[in-house]
């Protein structure tokens, strides 16, 4: 398959950046989008130019490192997958593909398609943890958790923190990410110790980082590679109200 | 007080203020449309005039009216505040952005702001045309006469119909969204919220639109 690529190139944080067009030829339909970028970078390096910088690690949809806006959609046109899982057969041969970085004030561009997502880490540091006793590993069955609750907490825990929700949201809101983390811990007995403080601290950090407000259009849920439900956002709101009333 | 200010300064708090004020304004719509439906009673407007007089003179109603204005102000301020913060959160936009693949038309920001602006403009003109003369006018025509004259004017009548259509559009998103913001939208109550939403985004605007339509085309 042959493609024309329109890729965002930006030297560093302060550079203005611009789109550059490239052509790639003889790409396997089974290649992932990242592998296609690898092929492109080989060509660029052979020419003695600077390769396109993009984030990646596990390349099997579990680490949350990769993340590109492809033809106007976070992680590309297919639902429930990360960029690394996107195969080139999802595109028409000969098409132009627009590849952009996540765009949000809270995710400044470091280089080309790589953005600084440390805002997510700071939100986690603000409250995305539980208090545990040090020592031996406790028995897994010591704390009974009803199956439906465990399932729901697990669904929330599936969030890989890639930032697709922020990228897809017209307001650059991080509510789906924060709600998944708050929800996961609020549902489980282990998360009860910091329950009241956690939601307040994480929301305060989210606001301080410059993410927008949720306007309930649920583009985040549609683009999430782990299909995190916006029901968790409702739970986050509930937790926030509860914390303010209880606290 | 300090914690309350902090609450409403947060992103979630602002949305809660917007939801609560929005839902309060929705309850007002029920009262308003119920009284307006009296226009269709075939008594030359006697019952409508009587209820209008009651609404302008009753102490309780006039007190609630102040709360209502406060609700409008809170809804507007929180809306503008949220909108400004959201604009600032993505200073550089995308070259290609296909939100349309993921979000219903009524939930998208340009539609929300346009419908909000039009409903706001309509509200002001509506207050000038009907509310101010009946409340503060030394001598004014009977409410039924005012309404039938205004709605018989095609410009005013059609403007009214367009405005309530936008109100319906605004509520198509707003009503159910407020339950999400208040944390009440769960799988268990989704059917109830969606059913109630139809009353607000479809039935009430249709009832409002029926009034100018009646005076313009069916009387």
């Amino acid at each position: 398959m042959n493609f024309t690529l329109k890729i965002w190139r930006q030297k560093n944080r302060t550079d203005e950046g611009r789109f550059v067009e490239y052509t790639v030829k003889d790409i396997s339909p089974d290649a992932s989008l990242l592998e296609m970028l690898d092929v492109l970078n080989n060509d660029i390096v052979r020419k003695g130019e600077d390769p396109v910088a993009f984030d990646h690690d596990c390349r099997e949809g579990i680490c949350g490192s990769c993340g590109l806006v492809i033809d106007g959609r976070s992680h590309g046109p297919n639902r429930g997958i990360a960029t690394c899982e996107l195969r080139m057969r999802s595109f028409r041969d000969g098409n132009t593909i627009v590849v952009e970085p996540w765009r949000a004030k809270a995710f400044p561009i470091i280089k080309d398609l790589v953005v600084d997502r440390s805002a997510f880490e700071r939100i986690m540091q603000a409250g995305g943890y539980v208090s545990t006793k040090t020592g031996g590993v406790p028995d897994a069955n010591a704390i009974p958790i009803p199956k439906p609750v465990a399932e729901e907490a697990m669904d929330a825990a599936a969030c890989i923190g890639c930032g697709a929700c922020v990228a897809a949201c017209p307001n650059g809101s991080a509510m789906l990410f924060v709600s998944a983390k708050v929800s996961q811990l609020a549902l489980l007995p282990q998360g009860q110790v910091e329950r009241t403080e956690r939601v307040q601290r994480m929301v305060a950090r989210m606001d301080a980082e410059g993410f927008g407000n949720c306007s309930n259009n649920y583009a985040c849920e549609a683009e999430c590679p782990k299909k995190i439900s916006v029901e968790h956002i409702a739970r986050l709101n509930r937790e926030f109200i509860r914390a303010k009333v209880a606290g | 007080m300090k914690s309350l200010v902090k609450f409403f300064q947060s992103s979630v708090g602002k949305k809660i203020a917007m939801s609560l004020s929005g839902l309060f304004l929705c309850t007002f719509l029920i009262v308003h449309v119920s009284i307006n439906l009296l226009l269709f009673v075939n008594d030359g407007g006697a019952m409508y005039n009587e209820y209008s007089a009651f609404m302008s003179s009753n102490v309780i109603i006039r007190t609630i009216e102040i709360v209502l204005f406060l609700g409008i102000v809170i809804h507007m301020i929180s809306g503008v505040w949220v909108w400004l913060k959201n604009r600032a959160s993505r200073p550089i936009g995308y070259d290609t952005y296909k939100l349309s693949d993921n979000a219903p038309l009524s939930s998208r920001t340009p539609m929300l702001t346009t419908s909000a602006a039009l409903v706001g403009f309509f509200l002001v003109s509506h207050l000038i045309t009907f509310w101010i003369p009946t409340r503060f006018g030394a001598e004014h025509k009977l409410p039924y006469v005012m309404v039938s004259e205004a709605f018989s004017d095609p410009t005013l009548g059609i403007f009214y119909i367009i405005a309530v259509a936008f109100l319906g559009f605004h509520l198509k998103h707003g009503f159910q969204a407020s339950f999400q913001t208040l944390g009440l939208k769960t799988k268990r109550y989704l059917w109830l919220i969606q059913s109630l939403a139809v009353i607000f985004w479809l039935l009430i605007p249709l009832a409002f639109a029926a009034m100018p339509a009646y005076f313009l085309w069916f009387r």
Side-chain angles (χ1 to χ4, degrees):
Chain A
M1 298 178 88
N2 303 323
F3 299 101
T4 303
L5 304 171
K6 193 175 161 189
I7 298 179
W8 183 259
R9 301 299 312 262
Q10 185 172 329
K11 279 184 187 136
N12 50 45
R13 283 173 188 267
T14 51
D15 181 33
E16 266 195 9
R18 67 198 166 95
F19 279 100
V20 178
E21 278 201 4
Y22 299 95
T23 49
V24 283
K25 287 180 180 160
D26 300 326
I27 300 293
S28 162
D30 298 329
S32 74
L33 191 119
L34 297 188
E35 285 162 347
M36 186 267 298
L37 288 179
D38 290 337
V39 172
L40 169 71
N41 273 346
N42 275 343
D43 291 345
I44 294 176
V45 170
R46 265 189 224 113
K47 286 180 197 161
E49 294 168 16
D50 195 22
V52 179
F54 60 92
D55 254 336
H56 60 98
D57 191 13
C58 76
R59 296 209 179 195
E60 53 184 346
I62 55 168
C63 76
S65 296
C66 64
L68 302 169
V69 172
I70 302 148
D71 281 345
R73 302 273 305 271
S74 305
H75 293 302
N78 300 348
R79 298 207 165 189
I81 57 165
T83 301
C84 58
E85 298 169 287
L86 177 64
R87 304 290 149 182
M88 295 316 290
R89 55 179 175 265
S90 308
F91 300 91
R92 275 204 192 150
D93 191 17
N95 264 15
T96 298
I97 304 170
V98 183
V99 184
E100 296 174 78
W102 289 168
R103 294 273 189 202
K105 186 185 167 196
F107 287 164
I109 295 172
I110 298 170
K111 188 180 180 187
D112 297 337
L113 303 170
V114 180
V115 298
D116 180 358
R117 282 174 286 189
S118 56
F120 270 11
E121 280 155 35
R122 289 188 291 275
I123 293 172
M124 290 304 281
Q125 285 160 9
Y129 51 80
V130 293
S131 291
T132 54
K133 286 178 182 169
T134 54
V137 180
D139 184 88
N141 298 317
I143 308 167
I145 301 165
K147 175 79 171 156
V149 175
E151 289 284 350
E152 211 170 341
M154 189 59 215
D155 286 347
C159 169
I160 51 176
C162 64
C165 46
V166 175
C169 177
N171 315 320
S173 169
M175 283 286 274
L176 193 66
F177 166 76
V178 178
S179 74
K181 302 304 175 194
V182 166
S183 211
Q184 173 200 339
L185 299 173
L187 281 163
L188 297 175
Q190 291 91 336
Q192 300 309 304
V193 181
E194 292 96 353
R195 188 176 172 187
T196 305
E197 280 302 304
R198 175 184 305 114
V199 63
Q200 299 185 79
R201 283 189 189 159
M202 288 179 86
V203 168
R205 192 68 240 171
M206 171 180 82
D207 293 347
E209 292 291 347
F211 292 104
N213 305 280
C214 175
S215 60
N216 305 317
N217 65 37
Y218 310 147
C220 51
E221 182 185 87
E223 298 291 43
C224 175
K226 297 298 158 191
K227 298 182 180 172
I228 304 287
S229 166
V230 290
E231 275 188 34
H232 295 297
I233 298 183
R235 181 175 291 105
L236 166 69
N237 294 334
R238 247 188 340 264
E239 285 293 314
F240 189 78
I241 296 167
R242 183 196 159 276
K244 291 291 177 185
V245 174
Chain B
M1 188 66 197
K2 200 179 160 192
S3 62
L4 199 68
V5 171
K6 215 173 153 190
F7 177 81
F8 287 114
Q9 274 177 342
S10 74
S11 58
V12 181
K14 279 200 282 284
K15 291 299 305 286
I16 287 168
M18 206 166 148
S19 311
L20 290 175
S21 55
L23 286 177
F24 173 65
L25 297 178
C26 281
T27 61
F28 160 71
L29 282 181
I30 300 173
V31 179
H32 194 340
V33 82
S34 310
I35 292 168
N36 277 29
L37 284 173
L38 295 173
L39 286 169
F40 295 116
V41 178
N42 201 8
D43 61 354
M47 206 185 275
Y48 179 74
N49 286 336
E50 200 179 311
Y51 268 93
S52 299
F54 168 76
M55 294 302 278
S56 357
S57 54
N58 187 280
V59 180
I60 300 168
I61 302 289
R62 298 202 72 161
T63 315
I64 294 174
E65 212 169 61
I66 298 165
V67 184
L68 183 69
F69 274 106
L70 204 67
I72 294 169
V73 170
I74 292 172
H75 197 67
M76 282 165 71
I77 290 175
S78 53
V80 171
W81 200 357
V82 163
W83 178 64
L84 288 174
K85 164 97 179 172
N86 289 352
R87 271 166 62 96
S89 66
R90 180 166 294 138
I92 301 167
Y94 291 107
D95 172 78
T96 310
Y97 183 46
K98 289 184 184 156
L99 180 67
S100 53
D101 289 3
N102 303 319
L105 184 68
S106 62
S107 72
R108 284 181 240 152
T109 311
M111 290 314 298
L112 285 172
T113 47
T114 309
S115 58
L118 201 101
V119 170
F121 175 68
F122 166 72
L123 189 70
V124 172
S125 62
H126 188 62
L127 291 176
I128 293 169
T129 323
F130 294 112
W131 184 75
I132 293 177
T134 52
R135 281 289 185 284
F136 304 108
E139 275 186 36
H140 62 83
K141 292 173 188 167
L142 282 169
Y144 184 82
V145 177
M146 287 171 69
V147 171
S148 55
E149 277 181 9
F151 284 163
S152 303
D153 176 354
T155 319
L156 270 179
I158 290 167
F159 171 58
Y160 189 93
I161 292 171
I162 294 170
V164 292
F166 271 88
L167 175 68
F169 207 67
H170 194 72
L171 294 179
K172 174 99 174 62
H173 172 73
F175 186 79
Q176 54 86 22
S178 53
F179 286 90
Q180 168 79 355
T181 302
L182 295 172
L184 302 171
K185 198 172 164 186
T186 58
K187 272 198 195 93
R188 191 190 288 180
Y189 298 116
L190 194 61
W191 65 273
L192 183 65
I193 293 165
Q194 282 174 343
S195 311
L196 281 174
V198 175
I199 298 174
F200 288 94
W201 73 261
L202 185 65
L203 299 182
I204 289 180
L206 272 180
F208 274 122
M211 292 151 202
Y214 168 72
F215 284 102
L216 273 177
W217 299 303
F218 298 107
R219 203 173 62 142

